[in-house]
Amino acid sequence: MLVDTLAQAQNLTQQERAVATYVLKHPGFLESHTARELADMAHVSAATVTRLCQKIGMESFGKFKVEFVAEWKASNGNIYASLSKPLIEPAELGSDEHGLTETTARFYNRIVLELTRRIDTDQVTEVCRLVAQRGAVDLYGTGINLGPCEAAAFKFQTLGVRAQALTAPNIQALMRGGAPDGFVSVLTSHTGENRATLETAQVLKANGSTVVAITPDRSSSLGSMADCCIRTFRTASVDRLSLLAFPISLGFIFDLMYATLLSSEIENMFPKTAREFYAR
């Protein structure tokens, strides 16, 4: 998302950062204003606005405006940001003692909704087909991503899939792995640029593994390197809510994979009469 790109952009000048900050705080401003008007609000020159657009990969302000406004409207007027604010600043909730609980629940639901707008179900289906076909999957995660990987590995094991959660490749096991099509490796990264994860991907590909990336950006280093990429949702890390958003997104994708594998397993295990019974 462009909001993430703006929030996490590196090597910006103080003036360019001022423009990015204004846009993030007033996402609806761009829809009806020009580059000159944006520059005036951020107290910089119009040339600064143009340079910022180029630094984040947009060839012009016009292209940036069109794509940013489209994303903002797709998020129902940036409702995600409106839910984020009271979580960052609880005072926004007023005196309602249940407000934070209800807002957090809505925040969870919003993450899933944002994710479903991005996820490519064909990619998920293809990954599940490979996992079912080969009967084995390794789930790689570091830091906060390891927990969802461990939970998913347990769920996949209940379906008869040889699954394990790892933080780094087991070189000896890889060398004993046999045929290159014998295993599927799923790598998770909320940036797609984690050095350790990229090194893991390189080792796995060199040893014949099918590498699946779960990351927000298909054009990231990890997404580009992988044989298949499932795009997930990530909020800007500056508000610290990525610590909630990415694991929730990751858990949802793994649960979607589990449900896909389970439905296939039921199809194979039960006779038609039983399937009809469970479908009632």
Side-chain angles (χ1 to χ4, degrees), residues 1-266:
M1 293 181 69
L2 280 175
V3 66
D4 297 325
T5 302
L6 273 179
Q8 300 178 40
Q10 302 296 315
N11 302 319
L12 298 184
T13 65
Q14 183 176 351
Q15 291 77 16
E16 291 162 352
R17 177 59 64 192
V19 176
T21 299
Y22 187 85
V23 172
L24 291 171
K25 288 184 176 180
H26 308 88
F29 182 85
L30 286 184
E31 184 175 12
S32 56
H33 293 83
T34 65
R36 175 71 266 173
E37 291 169 327
L38 173 59
D40 288 343
M41 297 305 296
H43 307 294
V44 299
S45 67
T48 298
V49 174
T50 300
R51 285 196 300 272
L52 171 64
C53 293
Q54 293 171 344
K55 279 191 176 182
I56 62 172
M58 298 285 106
E59 59 189 38
S60 66
F61 172 77
K63 181 174 177 60
F64 168 70
K65 176 178 178 176
V66 169
E67 293 197 13
F68 187 92
V69 170
E71 285 188 1
W72 180 66
K73 285 188 173 182
S75 296
N76 286 347
N78 213 22
I79 190 173
Y80 181 87
S82 69
L83 286 174
S84 301
K85 190 173 182 181
L87 294 178
I88 303 168
E89 303 173 16
E92 293 286 332
L93 296 170
S95 59
D96 181 5
E97 62 179 359
H98 301 296
L100 190 55
T101 300
E102 294 174 0
T103 300
T104 302
R106 293 176 62 204
F107 181 81
Y108 269 57
N109 291 335
R110 191 67 204 180
I111 290 170
V112 173
L113 179 58
E114 295 287 356
L115 173 61
T116 57
R117 288 174 169 166
R118 293 162 175 78
I119 197 168
D120 185 338
T121 54
D122 289 339
Q123 293 278 15
V124 175
T125 301
E126 174 60 17
V127 172
C128 289
R129 185 190 68 79
L130 290 173
V131 171
Q133 181 185 70
R134 301 174 186 178
V137 61
D138 293 338
L139 308 174
Y140 289 86
T142 59
I144 200 169
N145 298 339
L146 182 58
C149 289
E150 291 174 332
F154 175 81
K155 293 172 185 176
F156 294 160
Q157 288 167 10
T158 67
L159 300 178
V161 176
R162 290 184 289 112
Q164 58 181 338
L166 302 166
T167 57
N170 184 325
I171 303 300
Q172 289 74 22
L174 285 174
M175 295 180 68
R176 297 194 305 269
D181 62 352
F183 49 97
V184 178
S185 299
V186 178
L187 280 70
T188 63
S189 172
H190 73 282
T191 63
E193 303 295 340
N194 181 279
R195 180 175 298 179
T197 303
L198 294 176
E199 291 174 353
T200 295
Q202 291 173 342
V203 170
L204 292 170
K205 287 185 70 68
N207 283 274
S209 178
T210 297
V211 173
V212 177
I214 300 183
T215 193
D217 188 359
R218 289 194 183 96
S219 64
S220 65
S221 298
L222 179 60
S224 301
M225 187 185 304
D227 299 294
C228 175
C229 181
I230 298 175
R231 187 184 178 200
T232 188
F233 175 66
R234 173 195 65 197
T235 183
S237 60
V238 292
D239 62 13
R240 307 293 178 88
L241 290 177
S242 62
L243 293 177
L244 293 180
F246 191 79
I248 293 170
S249 296
L250 187 56
F252 180 87
I253 290 173
F254 282 144
D255 283 348
L256 180 58
M257 290 175 61
Y258 171 78
T260 302
L261 290 167
L262 177 62
S263 63
S264 174
E265 191 72 13
I266 290 175

